[in-house]
Amino acid sequence: SNSKVQEFTMSTAYDVSTVTYVDGYTVGGKASSLSGLDFKPDGTRMFICNDNGSDSNIHEYTLSTAFDVSTASFTRTQAVGTVENVSGLTFKPDGTKVYLTEGRTGSDDKTYQFSMSTAWDLTTVSYDSVALDHSSYTSNSQGATFNDDGTKFYTMDSGAHYVIEYTLSSAYALNTASYTSETYTNPALSPAGIIFGPG
């Protein structure tokens, strides 16, 4: 019931040593086991995964002030029936696709690709019948992110502490992904998410 999205500012952009706590937004009434977070690029919508076993779903919030979580209001819940134990969430920047990583204990260690016929409208989401299988490289996939042009995809092995990288021959299309490399993340042990700065 106390699950929150916490907001911080940095006096120097992307320098976490300059971080200062701002506030938080409690989402516990809607999502009790948070496992993924992403924003629409303009900061007016926030999306959270609720990892609840076979009842995993995405919760959408509208922010009246961009990127200010204290101004968030609940919009809707969207079920994602093909995915259980969600551990990562990311969107294509134009809002026409969403990707969910499944990777907690007992799950399939895959990232699933969905399309939205109306950009950023979860009510129009449909499964693309595309799933990138990570099971050869990890038994505990955590997180999901792309590089700036969608030709690289990354997830984490939380147990063995690796970033797993794939190369995509067609941008944002997981069915064109091929394994590239693994990079050890020490001292970040048991990582639960991954994101890159721009460029």
Side-chain angles (χ1 to χ4, degrees), residues 18 38 41-42 46 60-62 65 88 122 139 165 170 184 187 198-199:
T18 68
D38 203 2
D42 66 4
M46 177 174 69
E60 179 183 340
Y61 299 80
T62 300
T65 301
L122 287 176
S139 60
E165 177 184 319
S170 181
Y184 191 48

Side-chain angles (χ1 to χ4, degrees), residues 1-5 25-36 48-59 61 74 77 86 104:
S1 61
N2 293 319
S3 296
K4 290 184 178 181
V5 176
Y25 178 76
T26 300
V27 297
K30 301 294 184 184
S32 59
S33 182
L34 309 187
S35 59
I48 300 170
C49 273
N50 186 37
D51 170 23
N52 190 22
S54 60
D55 190 30
S56 297
N57 42 50
I58 302 174
H59 298 272
Y61 299 80
F74 176 73
T77 296
V86 176
R104 299 189 187 276

Side-chain angles (χ1 to χ4, degrees), residues 113-173:
Q113 177 180 306
F114 300 79
S115 290
M116 285 168 285
S117 55
T118 302
W120 301 106
D121 184 349
L122 287 176
T123 65
T124 69
V125 72
S126 61
Y127 178 45
D128 288 347
S129 297
V130 172
L132 178 58
D133 190 340
H134 312 300
S135 60
S136 296
Y137 314 106
T138 175
S139 60
N140 194 352
S141 303
Q142 300 283 327
T145 194
F146 289 88
N147 68 344
D148 288 343
D149 64 6
T151 59
K152 297 279 188 180
F153 175 78
Y154 307 86
T155 189
M156 304 289 296
D157 182 329
S158 184
H161 325 305
Y162 283 94
V163 177
I164 303 168
E165 177 184 319
Y166 297 86
T167 299
L168 284 66
S169 57
S170 181
Y172 297 102

Side-chain angles (χ1 to χ4, degrees), residues 90-99 113-116 119-120 125 128 171-174:
T90 193
F91 285 81
K92 186 178 177 184
D94 66 3
T96 60
K97 291 190 182 294
V98 61
Y99 307 84
Q113 177 180 306
F114 300 79
S115 290
M116 285 168 285
W120 301 106
V125 72
D128 288 347
Y172 297 102
L174 291 184

